[in-house]
Amino acid sequence: MKASNVTVLMDEITDLSPVERRAEGQSGGTYEYDYLLLAAGVQTSFFGRPEWEAHTLGLKTLAEAQSIRRRVLSNLEKAELTNCDKDRRRLMTVAIAGGGPTGVELAGAFTDLVHRSLRDDFRRIDTSKLRVVLLEGSDRLLGSFGKKQSEYAFKRLEELGVEILTGTMVADVTKGCVHLADGSTVEAAAIIWAAGTEANPLTSQLGVPLADRAGRVTPEEDLSIRGFPEIFVGGDLACLTDSQDKPVPGVAPAATQMGRHVAKVLKEENRLEKTRFRGQKLKLRPRFRYFDKGIMAIVGKNAAVVLSGKWALTGFIAWLAWLFIHILFLVGFRNKLSVLLGWAFAYVRDAPDTRIIVNRPD
Ligand SMILES: Cc1cc2nc3c(=O)[nH]c(=O)nc-3n(C[C@H](O)[C@H](O)[C@H](O)COP(=O)(O)OP(=O)(O)OC[C@H]3O[C@@H](n4cnc5c(N)ncnc54)[C@H](O)[C@@H]3O)c2cc1C
Protein backbone atom coordinates (compact mmCIF):
# COMPACT_ATOMS: atom_id res chain seq x y z
CA MET A 1 0.00 0.00 0.00
CA LYS A 2 1.45 3.33 -1.06
CA ALA A 3 -0.19 5.54 1.62
CA SER A 4 1.68 4.81 4.84
CA ASN A 5 -0.97 6.63 6.94
CA VAL A 6 -3.73 4.25 5.82
CA THR A 7 -4.54 1.11 7.83
CA VAL A 8 -6.85 -1.52 6.38
CA LEU A 9 -8.73 -3.75 8.81
CA MET A 10 -11.00 -6.55 7.68
CA ASP A 11 -14.01 -6.18 9.95
CA GLU A 12 -17.73 -5.81 9.46
CA ILE A 13 -19.26 -2.73 11.02
CA THR A 14 -22.40 -3.73 12.88
CA ASP A 15 -23.25 -0.56 14.83
CA LEU A 16 -22.80 3.13 14.31
CA SER A 17 -23.12 5.76 17.04
CA PRO A 18 -23.01 9.08 15.19
CA VAL A 19 -23.36 11.19 18.34
CA GLU A 20 -20.51 9.38 20.11
CA ARG A 21 -18.53 9.23 16.87
CA ARG A 22 -18.00 5.52 17.20
CA ALA A 23 -18.40 2.40 15.09
CA GLU A 24 -18.51 -1.16 16.41
CA GLY A 25 -17.17 -4.08 14.44
CA GLN A 26 -18.20 -7.73 14.37
CA SER A 27 -14.73 -8.66 15.64
CA GLY A 28 -15.58 -6.84 18.89
CA GLY A 29 -13.43 -3.88 17.88
CA THR A 30 -14.54 -0.31 18.56
CA TYR A 31 -13.50 2.42 16.16
CA GLU A 32 -13.61 6.01 17.33
CA TYR A 33 -13.38 8.49 14.54
CA ASP A 34 -12.96 12.17 13.74
CA TYR A 35 -14.49 11.63 10.33
CA LEU A 36 -16.50 8.78 8.86
CA LEU A 37 -17.15 8.00 5.20
CA LEU A 38 -19.97 5.47 4.89
CA ALA A 39 -19.64 3.78 1.50
CA ALA A 40 -20.92 0.29 2.25
CA GLY A 41 -22.72 -0.05 -1.09
CA VAL A 42 -26.02 -1.71 -1.88
CA GLN A 43 -27.43 -5.21 -1.63
CA THR A 44 -30.12 -7.16 -3.44
CA SER A 45 -33.64 -6.01 -2.63
CA PHE A 46 -36.69 -8.26 -2.85
CA PHE A 47 -39.21 -5.41 -2.50
CA GLY A 48 -40.45 -6.53 0.90
CA ARG A 49 -40.58 -10.24 -0.03
CA PRO A 50 -37.50 -11.62 1.78
CA GLU A 51 -38.77 -15.20 1.28
CA TRP A 52 -37.90 -14.88 -2.43
CA GLU A 53 -34.22 -14.87 -1.54
CA ALA A 54 -34.28 -18.63 -0.80
CA HIS A 55 -35.44 -19.39 -4.35
CA THR A 56 -33.26 -16.94 -6.28
CA LEU A 57 -29.62 -16.13 -6.92
CA GLY A 58 -28.42 -12.52 -6.61
CA LEU A 59 -25.51 -10.91 -8.41
CA LYS A 60 -23.80 -8.40 -6.21
CA THR A 61 -20.62 -10.17 -5.18
CA LEU A 62 -18.01 -12.46 -6.72
CA ALA A 63 -19.26 -15.31 -4.51
CA GLU A 64 -22.79 -14.80 -5.91
CA ALA A 65 -21.43 -14.79 -9.47
CA GLN A 66 -19.71 -18.11 -8.76
CA SER A 67 -22.97 -19.50 -7.31
CA ILE A 68 -24.77 -18.59 -10.54
CA ARG A 69 -22.13 -20.32 -12.65
CA ARG A 70 -22.19 -23.36 -10.32
CA ARG A 71 -25.99 -23.59 -10.45
CA VAL A 72 -26.30 -23.23 -14.23
CA LEU A 73 -23.47 -25.65 -15.02
CA SER A 74 -24.70 -28.21 -12.44
CA ASN A 75 -28.20 -27.97 -13.91
CA LEU A 76 -26.80 -28.77 -17.35
CA GLU A 77 -25.01 -31.81 -15.87
CA LYS A 78 -28.29 -32.95 -14.26
CA ALA A 79 -30.11 -32.38 -17.55
CA GLU A 80 -27.54 -34.64 -19.25
CA LEU A 81 -28.38 -37.37 -16.68
CA THR A 82 -32.16 -37.24 -16.65
CA ASN A 83 -34.48 -39.19 -18.93
CA CYS A 84 -37.51 -37.04 -18.10
CA ASP A 85 -38.28 -34.37 -20.73
CA LYS A 86 -40.13 -32.15 -18.26
CA ASP A 87 -37.24 -32.17 -15.79
CA ARG A 88 -34.76 -31.55 -18.59
CA ARG A 89 -36.73 -28.51 -19.75
CA ARG A 90 -36.85 -27.08 -16.22
CA LEU A 91 -33.14 -27.76 -15.66
CA MET A 92 -32.35 -26.05 -18.95
CA THR A 93 -34.29 -22.88 -18.18
CA VAL A 94 -32.76 -19.77 -16.63
CA ALA A 95 -35.12 -16.97 -15.62
CA ILE A 96 -33.65 -13.53 -15.02
CA ALA A 97 -35.81 -10.98 -13.24
CA GLY A 98 -34.72 -7.43 -14.11
CA GLY A 99 -33.89 -6.00 -17.53
CA GLY A 100 -31.34 -3.40 -16.41
CA PRO A 101 -27.63 -3.66 -17.30
CA THR A 102 -27.08 -6.65 -14.99
CA GLY A 103 -29.96 -8.68 -16.45
CA VAL A 104 -29.15 -7.77 -20.05
CA GLU A 105 -25.43 -8.53 -19.67
CA LEU A 106 -26.19 -11.85 -17.97
CA ALA A 107 -28.70 -12.90 -20.62
CA GLY A 108 -26.13 -12.17 -23.34
CA ALA A 109 -23.42 -14.02 -21.42
CA PHE A 110 -25.58 -17.16 -21.05
CA THR A 111 -26.17 -17.34 -24.78
CA ASP A 112 -22.42 -17.04 -25.35
CA LEU A 113 -21.88 -19.78 -22.78
CA VAL A 114 -24.17 -22.31 -24.41
CA HIS A 115 -23.52 -21.45 -28.04
CA ARG A 116 -19.74 -21.19 -27.77
CA SER A 117 -18.08 -22.46 -24.58
CA LEU A 118 -20.21 -25.54 -23.99
CA ARG A 119 -21.26 -26.46 -27.48
CA ASP A 120 -19.02 -29.59 -27.70
CA ASP A 121 -19.15 -30.63 -24.04
CA PHE A 122 -22.38 -32.64 -23.83
CA ARG A 123 -23.57 -35.65 -25.81
CA ARG A 124 -27.19 -36.17 -24.70
CA ILE A 125 -28.38 -32.59 -24.43
CA ASP A 126 -28.11 -29.76 -26.94
CA THR A 127 -26.83 -26.82 -24.87
CA SER A 128 -27.96 -24.35 -27.52
CA LYS A 129 -31.51 -25.21 -26.37
CA LEU A 130 -30.88 -23.52 -22.99
CA ARG A 131 -33.92 -21.32 -22.49
CA VAL A 132 -33.07 -17.87 -21.14
CA VAL A 133 -36.12 -15.84 -20.10
CA LEU A 134 -35.57 -12.17 -19.29
CA LEU A 135 -38.40 -10.55 -17.29
CA GLU A 136 -38.70 -6.77 -17.07
CA GLY A 137 -41.49 -4.92 -15.25
CA SER A 138 -41.32 -1.68 -17.27
CA ASP A 139 -42.02 -1.39 -20.98
CA ARG A 140 -38.38 -1.50 -22.11
CA LEU A 141 -34.98 -2.97 -21.30
CA LEU A 142 -32.12 -0.74 -20.08
CA GLY A 143 -34.38 2.03 -18.77
CA SER A 144 -31.41 4.29 -17.93
CA PHE A 145 -30.29 4.31 -21.60
CA GLY A 146 -31.90 5.96 -24.60
CA LYS A 147 -34.88 4.41 -26.34
CA LYS A 148 -32.90 3.43 -29.44
CA GLN A 149 -30.35 1.63 -27.32
CA SER A 150 -33.10 -0.22 -25.46
CA GLU A 151 -34.53 -1.32 -28.78
CA TYR A 152 -31.11 -2.39 -30.01
CA ALA A 153 -30.50 -4.50 -26.87
CA PHE A 154 -33.98 -6.06 -27.22
CA LYS A 155 -33.41 -6.97 -30.87
CA ARG A 156 -29.90 -8.25 -30.28
CA LEU A 157 -30.95 -10.48 -27.36
CA GLU A 158 -33.88 -11.81 -29.36
CA GLU A 159 -31.48 -12.71 -32.18
CA LEU A 160 -29.41 -14.58 -29.63
CA GLY A 161 -32.49 -16.58 -28.66
CA VAL A 162 -33.36 -14.88 -25.37
CA GLU A 163 -37.11 -14.81 -24.56
CA ILE A 164 -37.89 -11.29 -23.39
CA LEU A 165 -41.04 -10.35 -21.52
CA THR A 166 -41.35 -6.61 -20.88
CA GLY A 167 -44.20 -5.00 -18.94
CA THR A 168 -44.18 -8.14 -16.84
CA MET A 169 -44.19 -7.78 -13.08
CA VAL A 170 -43.11 -10.68 -10.91
CA ALA A 171 -45.93 -11.44 -8.47
CA ASP A 172 -44.32 -14.31 -6.58
CA VAL A 173 -41.32 -16.59 -6.59
CA THR A 174 -41.53 -20.14 -5.31
CA LYS A 175 -39.02 -22.99 -5.55
CA GLY A 176 -38.19 -23.35 -9.24
CA CYS A 177 -41.03 -21.11 -10.44
CA VAL A 178 -41.60 -17.43 -11.19
CA HIS A 179 -45.25 -16.38 -11.00
CA LEU A 180 -46.08 -13.36 -13.14
CA ALA A 181 -48.74 -10.76 -12.47
CA ASP A 182 -50.72 -11.85 -15.56
CA GLY A 183 -51.15 -15.31 -14.03
CA SER A 184 -48.57 -17.10 -16.17
CA THR A 185 -45.56 -18.91 -14.74
CA VAL A 186 -41.98 -19.64 -15.80
CA GLU A 187 -40.54 -22.87 -14.43
CA ALA A 188 -36.79 -22.53 -14.11
CA ALA A 189 -34.20 -24.42 -12.10
CA ALA A 190 -32.11 -21.22 -11.95
CA ILE A 191 -33.85 -17.96 -11.09
CA ILE A 192 -31.62 -14.91 -11.01
CA TRP A 193 -32.79 -11.82 -9.21
CA ALA A 194 -31.40 -8.67 -10.84
CA ALA A 195 -34.50 -6.56 -10.27
CA GLY A 196 -33.62 -4.29 -7.41
CA THR A 197 -31.13 -3.03 -4.89
CA GLU A 198 -31.32 -1.35 -1.52
CA ALA A 199 -28.74 0.52 0.49
CA ASN A 200 -26.69 -1.21 3.12
CA PRO A 201 -28.82 -1.20 6.31
CA LEU A 202 -26.15 0.83 8.14
CA THR A 203 -27.72 3.96 6.60
CA SER A 204 -30.64 3.56 9.00
CA GLN A 205 -28.23 4.07 11.91
CA LEU A 206 -27.10 7.49 10.73
CA GLY A 207 -30.05 9.20 12.38
CA VAL A 208 -31.04 11.19 9.29
CA PRO A 209 -34.17 10.78 7.13
CA LEU A 210 -33.66 8.28 4.33
CA ALA A 211 -34.08 9.54 0.77
CA ASP A 212 -36.08 6.66 -0.67
CA ARG A 213 -37.52 3.21 -0.06
CA ALA A 214 -34.16 1.76 -1.04
CA GLY A 215 -32.77 3.29 2.17
CA ARG A 216 -30.29 5.61 0.47
CA VAL A 217 -29.20 8.91 1.98
CA THR A 218 -29.22 12.33 0.33
CA PRO A 219 -26.14 14.16 1.54
CA GLU A 220 -25.44 17.88 1.64
CA GLU A 221 -23.58 19.42 -1.31
CA ASP A 222 -20.21 18.49 0.20
CA LEU A 223 -21.39 14.85 0.72
CA SER A 224 -21.63 15.19 4.51
CA ILE A 225 -24.96 14.49 6.17
CA ARG A 226 -27.16 17.08 7.79
CA GLY A 227 -26.24 17.73 11.42
CA PHE A 228 -23.08 15.60 11.24
CA PRO A 229 -20.43 17.46 9.21
CA GLU A 230 -17.88 14.79 10.14
CA ILE A 231 -19.93 12.00 8.49
CA PHE A 232 -19.89 11.61 4.71
CA VAL A 233 -21.78 9.19 2.51
CA GLY A 234 -20.56 8.07 -0.89
CA GLY A 235 -20.94 5.55 -3.68
CA ASP A 236 -24.08 3.57 -4.41
CA LEU A 237 -25.78 4.36 -1.10
CA ALA A 238 -25.73 8.13 -1.76
CA CYS A 239 -28.81 9.51 -3.50
CA LEU A 240 -28.01 12.71 -5.38
CA THR A 241 -28.50 14.51 -8.65
CA ASP A 242 -25.95 16.14 -10.95
CA SER A 243 -25.85 19.75 -12.20
CA GLN A 244 -28.56 18.91 -14.78
CA ASP A 245 -30.77 17.47 -12.05
CA LYS A 246 -30.31 13.94 -13.35
CA PRO A 247 -29.81 11.19 -10.77
CA VAL A 248 -26.17 10.28 -10.28
CA PRO A 249 -26.06 6.60 -11.35
CA GLY A 250 -24.80 3.76 -9.17
CA VAL A 251 -21.62 3.18 -11.16
CA ALA A 252 -17.96 2.89 -10.26
CA PRO A 253 -16.89 6.31 -11.67
CA ALA A 254 -19.48 8.07 -9.48
CA ALA A 255 -18.24 6.18 -6.41
CA THR A 256 -14.58 6.95 -7.09
CA GLN A 257 -15.32 10.63 -7.77
CA MET A 258 -17.14 10.86 -4.43
CA GLY A 259 -14.24 9.12 -2.69
CA ARG A 260 -11.77 11.57 -4.21
CA HIS A 261 -13.96 14.52 -3.23
CA VAL A 262 -14.13 13.43 0.42
CA ALA A 263 -10.38 12.75 0.47
CA LYS A 264 -9.74 16.30 -0.78
CA VAL A 265 -12.01 17.79 1.91
CA LEU A 266 -10.30 15.78 4.65
CA LYS A 267 -6.85 16.70 3.41
CA GLU A 268 -7.73 20.37 3.32
CA GLU A 269 -9.34 20.36 6.76
CA ASN A 270 -6.43 18.47 8.21
CA ARG A 271 -4.16 21.16 6.82
CA LEU A 272 -6.38 23.94 8.20
CA GLU A 273 -6.47 22.30 11.64
CA LYS A 274 -2.76 22.84 11.79
CA THR A 275 -2.94 26.54 10.83
CA ARG A 276 -4.43 29.73 12.23
CA PHE A 277 -7.55 29.11 10.07
CA ARG A 278 -8.70 26.42 12.52
CA GLY A 279 -12.48 26.57 12.90
CA GLN A 280 -13.16 27.91 9.39
CA LYS A 281 -13.35 24.47 7.86
CA LEU A 282 -17.07 24.23 7.11
CA LYS A 283 -17.21 27.48 5.14
CA LEU A 284 -14.43 26.33 2.87
CA ARG A 285 -15.84 22.98 1.89
CA PRO A 286 -16.26 22.61 -1.86
CA ARG A 287 -19.39 21.23 -3.45
CA PHE A 288 -19.31 17.75 -5.00
CA ARG A 289 -19.78 17.85 -8.76
CA TYR A 290 -20.38 14.66 -10.67
CA PHE A 291 -18.58 14.38 -13.98
CA ASP A 292 -20.73 12.04 -16.06
CA LYS A 293 -18.46 9.77 -18.11
CA GLY A 294 -21.44 7.78 -19.36
CA ILE A 295 -22.89 4.31 -18.98
CA MET A 296 -22.44 1.13 -20.98
CA ALA A 297 -23.68 -2.43 -21.17
CA ILE A 298 -22.49 -5.42 -23.17
CA VAL A 299 -25.09 -7.47 -25.06
CA GLY A 300 -23.33 -10.76 -25.87
CA LYS A 301 -20.33 -11.07 -28.16
CA ASN A 302 -19.57 -8.15 -30.52
CA ALA A 303 -22.46 -5.99 -29.27
CA ALA A 304 -22.87 -3.31 -26.62
CA VAL A 305 -24.56 0.00 -25.95
CA VAL A 306 -22.77 3.12 -24.76
CA LEU A 307 -24.30 6.42 -23.68
CA SER A 308 -21.74 9.14 -23.00
CA GLY A 309 -22.67 12.81 -23.36
CA LYS A 310 -23.87 13.27 -26.93
CA TRP A 311 -22.51 9.87 -27.92
CA ALA A 312 -25.06 7.10 -28.15
CA LEU A 313 -23.28 4.09 -29.62
CA THR A 314 -24.55 0.61 -30.36
CA GLY A 315 -23.00 -2.50 -31.91
CA PHE A 316 -19.38 -3.46 -32.48
CA ILE A 317 -17.87 -0.01 -31.86
CA ALA A 318 -19.69 0.16 -28.52
CA TRP A 319 -18.44 -3.35 -27.73
CA LEU A 320 -14.84 -2.31 -28.42
CA ALA A 321 -15.34 0.76 -26.21
CA TRP A 322 -16.73 -1.48 -23.43
CA LEU A 323 -13.70 -3.80 -23.64
CA PHE A 324 -11.21 -0.94 -23.73
CA ILE A 325 -12.71 0.90 -20.73
CA HIS A 326 -13.04 -2.25 -18.64
CA ILE A 327 -9.43 -3.22 -19.25
CA LEU A 328 -8.20 0.35 -18.68
CA PHE A 329 -9.64 0.47 -15.17
CA LEU A 330 -8.37 -2.91 -13.98
CA VAL A 331 -5.92 -2.58 -11.13
CA GLY A 332 -2.27 -3.18 -12.06
CA PHE A 333 -0.47 -3.70 -15.36
CA ARG A 334 -0.26 -7.50 -14.88
CA ASN A 335 -4.07 -7.80 -14.57
CA LYS A 336 -4.64 -5.56 -17.58
CA LEU A 337 -2.25 -7.60 -19.72
CA SER A 338 -3.49 -11.02 -18.62
CA VAL A 339 -7.16 -10.07 -19.14
CA LEU A 340 -6.36 -8.53 -22.53
CA LEU A 341 -4.50 -11.65 -23.67
CA GLY A 342 -7.17 -13.97 -22.19
CA TRP A 343 -9.98 -12.13 -23.96
CA ALA A 344 -8.05 -11.93 -27.25
CA PHE A 345 -7.34 -15.68 -27.13
CA ALA A 346 -10.97 -16.49 -26.29
CA TYR A 347 -12.17 -14.20 -29.09
CA VAL A 348 -9.95 -15.83 -31.71
CA ARG A 349 -10.80 -19.38 -30.53
CA ASP A 350 -14.44 -18.33 -30.23
CA ALA A 351 -14.71 -20.46 -27.08
CA PRO A 352 -13.99 -18.96 -23.66
CA ASP A 353 -13.02 -21.53 -21.01
CA THR A 354 -15.76 -21.34 -18.43
CA ARG A 355 -16.74 -24.90 -17.55
CA ILE A 356 -15.61 -24.79 -13.94
CA ILE A 357 -17.91 -25.94 -11.14
CA VAL A 358 -16.37 -24.58 -7.92
CA ASN A 359 -17.33 -26.38 -4.69
CA ARG A 360 -20.13 -28.93 -4.51
CA PRO A 361 -23.02 -28.61 -6.95
CA ASP A 362 -26.30 -27.43 -5.37
C1 LIG B 1 -23.13 -7.23 -11.62
C2 LIG B 1 -22.67 -5.80 -11.53
C3 LIG B 1 -22.02 -5.25 -12.62
C4 LIG B 1 -21.59 -3.92 -12.58
N1 LIG B 1 -20.95 -3.42 -13.67
C5 LIG B 1 -20.49 -2.15 -13.63
C6 LIG B 1 -19.77 -1.61 -14.74
O1 LIG B 1 -19.55 -2.30 -15.73
N2 LIG B 1 -19.34 -0.33 -14.65
C7 LIG B 1 -19.57 0.43 -13.53
O2 LIG B 1 -19.14 1.59 -13.48
N3 LIG B 1 -20.27 -0.03 -12.48
C8 LIG B 1 -20.73 -1.31 -12.50
N4 LIG B 1 -21.42 -1.81 -11.43
C9 LIG B 1 -21.71 -0.90 -10.30
C10 LIG B 1 -20.49 -0.72 -9.42
O3 LIG B 1 -20.01 -2.00 -9.02
C11 LIG B 1 -20.89 0.09 -8.19
O4 LIG B 1 -21.46 1.31 -8.60
C12 LIG B 1 -19.68 0.42 -7.32
O5 LIG B 1 -19.02 -0.76 -6.92
C13 LIG B 1 -20.16 1.18 -6.08
O6 LIG B 1 -19.09 1.39 -5.22
P1 LIG B 1 -19.34 1.53 -3.65
O7 LIG B 1 -18.00 1.82 -3.08
O8 LIG B 1 -20.47 2.42 -3.38
O9 LIG B 1 -19.85 0.09 -3.17
P2 LIG B 1 -19.19 -1.34 -3.29
O10 LIG B 1 -18.25 -1.43 -4.44
O11 LIG B 1 -20.34 -2.28 -3.25
O12 LIG B 1 -18.32 -1.47 -1.98
C14 LIG B 1 -18.90 -1.54 -0.71
C15 LIG B 1 -17.94 -2.29 0.18
O13 LIG B 1 -18.40 -2.17 1.54
C16 LIG B 1 -18.26 -3.42 2.17
N5 LIG B 1 -19.23 -3.48 3.27
C17 LIG B 1 -20.56 -3.62 3.21
N6 LIG B 1 -21.10 -3.63 4.44
C18 LIG B 1 -20.07 -3.47 5.30
C19 LIG B 1 -20.00 -3.41 6.72
N7 LIG B 1 -21.09 -3.49 7.48
N8 LIG B 1 -18.78 -3.25 7.28
C20 LIG B 1 -17.66 -3.16 6.50
N9 LIG B 1 -17.68 -3.21 5.16
C21 LIG B 1 -18.87 -3.37 4.56
C22 LIG B 1 -18.58 -4.43 1.07
O14 LIG B 1 -18.04 -5.70 1.40
C23 LIG B 1 -17.89 -3.79 -0.13
O15 LIG B 1 -16.55 -4.20 -0.24
C24 LIG B 1 -21.84 -3.13 -11.43
C25 LIG B 1 -22.50 -3.69 -10.33
C26 LIG B 1 -22.91 -5.01 -10.39
C27 LIG B 1 -23.61 -5.61 -9.19
Side-chain angles (χ1 to χ4, degrees):
M1 215 162 24
K2 282 186 199 149
S4 59
N5 59 346
V6 173
T7 304
V8 178
L9 299 173
M10 222 166 147
D11 196 0
E12 186 179 337
I13 299 303
T14 50
D15 287 294
L16 288 176
S17 309
V19 177
E20 284 92 32
R21 298 190 180 189
R22 208 176 51 225
E24 317 274 348
Q26 201 176 36
S27 67
T30 297
Y31 307 101
E32 292 185 350
Y33 58 78
D34 295 321
Y35 293 98
L36 171 73
L37 166 59
L38 186 65
V42 290
Q43 58 192 33
T44 304
S45 159
F46 295 92
F47 305 127
R49 300 292 299 269
E51 69 275 17
W52 293 356
E53 188 175 358
H55 310 303
T56 56
L57 298 157
L59 181 51
K60 280 277 161 282
T61 62
L62 182 59
E64 287 176 329
Q66 286 175 339
S67 293
I68 291 175
R69 182 172 65 184
R70 184 167 62 236
R71 173 73 65 86
V72 173
L73 293 180
S74 318
N75 285 347
L76 290 175
E77 297 292 348
K78 288 179 193 165
E80 179 87 338
L81 284 173
T82 186
N83 290 318
C84 170
D85 285 348
K86 191 167 174 254
D87 279 353
R88 190 178 305 115
R89 185 167 166 78
R90 190 182 49 80
L91 287 162
M92 290 188 67
T93 303
V94 179
I96 304 170
T102 302
V104 165
E105 291 197 348
L106 257 184
F110 281 131
T111 59
D112 271 349
L113 182 78
V114 291
H115 289 290
R116 298 181 213 285
S117 315
L118 303 178
R119 70 187 157 196
D120 299 325
D121 287 357
F122 294 87
R123 294 290 171 265
R124 298 172 72 190
I125 58 167
D126 175 359
T127 57
S128 69
K129 297 260 162 53
L130 183 83
R131 185 178 171 222
V132 180
V133 187
L134 181 58
L135 309 161
E136 166 56 38
S138 74
D139 61 353
R140 66 181 173 105
L141 300 178
L142 298 177
S144 49
F145 288 74
K147 216 168 168 199
K148 273 200 174 150
Q149 293 175 306
S150 297
E151 283 163 8
Y152 173 82
F154 189 101
K155 197 166 153 261
R156 178 77 192 143
L157 286 179
E158 265 199 339
E159 283 165 7
L160 292 171
V162 177
E163 277 176 50
I164 306 165
L165 301 173
T166 50
T168 311
M169 297 301 283
V170 172
D172 200 4
V173 184
T174 52
K175 192 171 170 19
C177 189
V178 185
H179 304 257
L180 303 173
D182 63 7
S184 61
T185 54
V186 179
E187 285 200 24
I191 303 171
I192 296 157
W193 189 255
T197 55
E198 62 190 12
N200 186 290
L202 283 175
T203 57
S204 63
Q205 296 188 31
L206 289 174
V208 292
L210 299 177
D212 52 23
R213 281 199 302 176
R216 295 183 303 160
V217 177
T218 299
E220 303 283 293
E221 288 182 340
D222 62 352
L223 297 184
S224 70
I225 59 169
R226 185 162 296 172
F228 296 94
E230 71 285 359
I231 301 181
F232 298 86
V233 290
D236 283 3
L237 58 71
C239 173
L240 57 164
T241 49
D242 64 11
S243 54
Q244 263 109 54
D245 232 22
K246 281 196 301 185
V248 173
V251 291
T256 44
Q257 285 176 38
M258 290 183 219
R260 278 206 191 99
H261 174 86
V262 174
K264 248 191 221 161
V265 171
L266 298 194
K267 216 170 153 191
E268 182 60 11
E269 293 197 348
N270 190 34
R271 194 182 64 80
L272 285 173
E273 280 291 314
K274 294 177 184 155
T275 69
R276 64 197 173 85
F277 296 110
R278 202 183 152 99
Q280 290 187 14
K281 55 186 182 184
L282 296 184
K283 272 190 253 165
L284 296 172
R285 275 192 183 171
R287 171 184 181 181
F288 171 72
R289 282 175 205 279
Y290 173 57
F291 175 63
D292 186 0
K293 293 180 180 168
I295 47 177
M296 46 177 58
I298 198 162
V299 198
K301 191 178 179 184
N302 290 340
V305 289
V306 173
L307 185 64
S308 178
K310 287 181 190 146
W311 295 85
L313 306 175
T314 54
F316 187 65
I317 295 281
W319 184 75
L320 283 179
W322 189 99
L323 296 186
F324 177 73
I325 298 281
H326 281 80
I327 287 180
L328 191 69
F329 285 98
L330 286 176
V331 177
F333 178 73
R334 190 171 168 272
N335 282 338
K336 287 188 200 350
L337 190 66
S338 71
V339 172
L340 178 67
L341 291 177
W343 283 1
F345 188 60
Y347 187 83
V348 173
R349 275 182 66 222
D350 200 22
D353 293 321
T354 37
R355 198 180 167 188
I356 306 166
I357 299 177
V358 190
N359 299 333
R360 281 172 64 86
D362 301 299

